Amino acid sequence: MTRQLLNPLLLILLGWLMASAPALAVNLIEPFPLGTVEANVTIRSPAHRVMLSPVREVNDEIRSESVARVPVDGKGHLLQIDTDSNRREAREYYRRALAALGAKILFECSGRECGRSNVWANQIFGQAILYGRDANQDYIAAAVRQNDTSYLLLVYTVTRGNNREYVWTEQLELGPNAVVPGLDGSDGRVRGPLVVPWSGGFTYRFEWDANDRRQLNNWASAENTEVVVISHSTLRAEETLAASFERAAGAAEAMAALLQKSGISAEQQRRIVAGPTIPSNDPGRSGDRVEIVVIAAP
């Protein structure tokens, strides 16, 4: 009789404990829709290791110039990318999602500049299936501030030797007093960049959609925000540096005109013509493009 009464009481107590426990599921970004989730991992640690620079292994020890050891509570997700999609599409999906959240990119790398894939797979993420080609890997570490809570979002993609492609993501709520290199006190004031490829010379065409434009206008709608347009160009074969800068300046002017038509005044804008002076190995931030950053007032 006592046992029969105890079981329901235990069930009630367990239910109360589960209801009162802090929620672990951080879901700021939905998994890439053209992938299959293969594993969900709870990540709770008083000193979780987050890499913010390229990695290498020396005498069985991981070496990196910038590493954060921070208290976190969140989730890791392992996805296999569908055969009718690819890593490029997955990276673009997460990059757009980060931009929509106003995330600050703390570190990113591509290919061999990230270090050895086996170190990322086995030593850092603990997911052996992520061991792939050093030349075919990418990593992004970003921070997001929402409702007085800070989060770290990590995205790693890789192509294995059998050509299967995977994504590993971590969505982590930072504990109090966590210190992350590169995460200053801007408190979410800096949003972007929104990367918009362009083409042309006399007239300019920008590759962005209604969602991008809507997001930009939402960011810029707050009082006293400033919109910074940074125009990049490639240096074409047999093109002079001056000509490359001229093309970039024309793209910046054309984008500024478009922004004015959408309600972002000239007084609210700042233009920076970078031309070909800031090369990038990241496929998502290369070529002729403008990068738009919105900075809120203090």
Side-chain angles (χ1 to χ4, degrees):
M1 181 70 177
T2 303
R3 184 173 298 174
Q4 291 177 343
L5 289 173
L6 184 60
N7 287 340
L9 289 174
L10 283 174
L11 290 174
I12 293 172
L13 179 59
L14 286 172
W16 179 84
L17 288 173
M18 291 176 67
S20 60
L24 293 177
V26 179
N27 201 33
L28 296 176
I29 300 177
E30 294 293 333
F32 180 54
L34 297 179
T36 301
V37 178
E38 297 202 343
N40 293 307
V41 179
T42 296
I43 301 175
R44 174 183 282 178
S45 171
H48 187 60
R49 180 172 55 191
V50 177
M51 314 309 291
L52 299 172
S53 61
V55 301
R56 56 195 178 98
E57 190 175 21
V58 179
N59 297 327
D60 297 326
E61 292 186 1
I62 297 176
R63 302 288 178 85
S64 183
E65 292 183 0
S66 183
V67 181
R69 289 277 191 176
V70 287
V72 300
D73 195 350
K75 292 286 187 180
H77 301 283
L78 175 67
L79 293 87
Q80 181 176 341
I81 301 173
D82 295 346
T83 55
D84 57 350
S85 185
N86 53 57
R87 287 174 48 243
R88 181 187 59 79
E89 292 181 356
R91 285 197 310 271
E92 184 62 22
Y93 169 82
Y94 285 105
R95 187 176 292 283
R96 286 180 178 272
L98 290 170
L101 290 170
K104 177 179 181 179
I105 304 298
L106 303 176
F107 171 68
E108 59 183 317
C109 60
S110 179
R112 290 187 174 88
E113 69 180 27
C114 296
R116 298 298 301 275
S117 173
N118 72 305
V119 176
W120 288 99
N122 296 303
Q123 302 295 100
I124 298 173
F125 300 130
Q127 300 290 326
I129 200 168
L130 293 172
Y131 180 18
R133 301 168 181 168
D134 294 347
N136 298 111
Q137 59 177 337
D138 297 272
Y139 173 71
I140 300 174
V144 172
R145 181 81 173 174
Q146 287 197 345
N147 301 323
D148 298 324
T149 301
S150 293
Y151 300 89
L152 286 179
L153 303 176
L154 313 179
V155 181
Y156 178 80
T157 74
V158 69
T159 301
R160 284 175 52 84
N162 59 7
N163 290 324
R164 292 181 181 174
E165 298 184 310
Y166 288 85
V167 179
W168 170 259
T169 65
E170 294 182 13
Q171 303 192 48
L172 309 169
E173 179 179 334
L174 282 170
N177 302 318
V179 177
V180 179
L183 185 58
D184 55 25
S186 60
D187 197 25
R189 289 175 54 202
V190 180
R191 294 179 176 268
L194 179 63
V195 181
V196 184
W198 60 263
S199 58
F202 181 72
T203 59
Y204 293 86
R205 178 180 178 182
F206 297 97
E207 298 178 21
W208 60 339
D209 57 26
N211 289 331
D212 293 333
R213 295 191 290 272
R214 188 180 306 112
Q215 183 65 63
L216 176 60
N217 280 287
N218 286 339
W219 289 347
S221 61
E223 187 176 359
N224 295 325
T225 55
E226 294 190 69
V227 178
V228 183
V229 178
I230 308 163
S231 185
H232 301 263
S233 59
T234 56
L235 188 60
R236 297 172 176 173
E238 301 180 0
E239 181 183 45
T240 65
L241 180 61
S244 183
F245 267 107
E246 185 177 352
R247 289 191 302 111
E253 184 176 350
M255 173 57 75
L258 284 178
L259 295 182
Q260 289 185 59
K261 290 181 180 179
S262 69
I264 300 174
S265 67
E267 292 74 18
Q268 193 178 356
Q269 299 181 41
R270 291 177 181 264
R271 275 182 263 171
I272 299 174
V273 179
T277 61
I278 308 177
S280 172
N281 293 325
D282 181 358
R285 299 180 71 179
S286 60
D288 296 337
R289 69 198 186 279
V290 293
E291 298 187 5
I292 306 174
V293 177
V294 178
I295 302 176

